[in-house]
Amino acid sequence: MIWESWNAFLEMGGAAQFVWGSYGVTVLLIVAELVLLRSRRVHSTRRLSRLIRAGQGRKLPEVQGS
Amino acid sequence: MSTSESRFNLYHYAAPQAFYPVAGKLAPVFAVIALVLTTVGLWISFFKAPTDAVQGEVYRIIFIHVPAAWMSMFVFLVMAFWSAIGLAMNTRLSALMAQALAPTGAMFCFVALWTGALWGRPTWGAYWVWDARLTSQLLLLFLYLGYMALVAAIDDPRRRDKAGAILCLVGAVNVPIIYFSVKWWNTLHQGASVSLTKAPSMATIMLSGMLVMAFAAWAYTIAVALYRVRVLILERERHADWVRGELARLGEAN
C-alpha cells in the first residue's frame, strides 16, 4: 500500500482538484453516455412500435440524431 | 476453401439483419471485459503505480489522459475506414458503424482535452495554450461534433451516409497531424513517451497501468458502439419484416 491513510489518498499530495476533477468528469461523461444511449433505445423502439401499430410504417419521417 | 468461406461470412454479416443479433451477443461480452479491465487498470493506477519523482501525484491523470487521447484519434480513423468501405461498396452497415462510433469518439476527445487542461495547470501553469498538439486535438473535437451535426441534419439516409463519409475521410487528415505535431512543431506538449519504434521512456508499472486502461477504453468503445448500432439498424431497417418482429419481441419484454 503506497498511501498512509485514506485521507492521504483523497488529498492526492495536494493535487486533489486536478486528479479527482479529471477522473470525476470522465466517470460523469461515461455514465451520461450510457444513460442517453439507453433512453434513446427505449424511445426509439417505442416510437417505431407505435408507428407500426398505427399502420403508417411506410410513411414515417426519418429518425433524427445519432 | 477457407478463404471462400470467410469471404462468404463477411458478406453475410455486412447485412444489417445478420449483424444485428451478432452485435447483441458481442456487446455484453465487451462490456464485461471493459468492466474487468477498468477495475484492474484503476487498481494499478492508484495503488500499484508509485508517486512520480518529479510531478508527485498529479501525474496519475496520465492513466485516463493518454488512453482517451489515443482512443479519440483511433476511433476517428476507424470511422474513416468504415466510411471508405461504405463509399466503395455501398454497404449500409458501414455508415451505421461510423455513426455509432462518433459520440463515443467525441466523448474521449473531450476527456483528453479536459484532463489535459487539469494536468497542464499544475505542471505548465496554464489550463490551455495554443500549441500545435492542443489546437489540432481541439479541431478533432469540432470534427466529431460537425460530423454528428451533419448526420443529424440530413433526412435522406443515402445522402446522410455519403456526406458523413466524406467529412470523415477529409477530417481523418487531422489525425496524423495530431500524432506528429509534437515532432513537427516545437510544442509545449511533450513528445511521445510510448511509441511503436522505440522503448517506452517510463516505468514499467506506470506503462502497464496506462495500457490496461487503454484496452479498457477499447472494450468500452466496442461495447457501446455495438449497442448503439443496434438502435441505428432498427431505425434504418424499420420497413423490414424482421424489424417488426424484433420490435414486437422487445415490446413483450418491456
Side-chain angles (χ1 to χ4, degrees), chain A residues 2-3 12-13 18 20-23 25-26 29-30 33 40-41 44-45 48 52 57 60 62-64, chain B residues 46 49 57 60-61 63-64 104 107 110-111 114 118 152 155 157 160 220 224 228 232 235 238-239 247:
Chain A
I2 58 170
W3 306 100
M12 276 291 142
F18 302 115
W20 298 127
S22 293
Y23 280 81
V25 167
T26 306
L29 284 173
I30 287 174
E33 182 179 28
R40 176 164 187 201
R41 189 181 71 88
S44 188
T45 50
L48 292 175
I52 284 168
L60 26 151
E62 275 298 312
V63 180
Q64 294 293 314
Chain B
F46 282 111
E57 308 298 350
R60 289 182 201 278
I61 292 173
F63 298 113
I64 36 178
T104 309
M107 192 268 289
F110 179 83
V111 166
W114 175 265
L118 286 181
D155 284 342
R160 177 202 302 157
Y220 170 83
V224 172
R228 192 177 284 118
L232 295 179
E235 287 171 356
R238 62 179 173 275
H239 304 311
L247 287 170

Side-chain angles (χ1 to χ4, degrees), chain B residues 73-131:
Chain B
M73 292 188 281
F74 186 70
V75 166
F76 206 91
L77 290 182
V78 175
M79 286 167 59
F81 167 80
W82 286 122
S83 299
I85 300 269
L87 284 179
M89 305 177 76
N90 214 9
T91 43
R92 302 194 291 291
L93 185 59
S94 322
L96 294 182
M97 284 303 291
Q99 288 161 27
L101 282 162
T104 309
M107 192 268 289
F108 278 121
C109 192
F110 179 83
V111 166
L113 288 165
W114 175 265
T115 55
L118 286 181
W119 199 2
R121 183 76 181 89
T123 48
W124 300 341
Y127 287 108
W128 183 263
V129 289
W130 290 102
D131 95 347

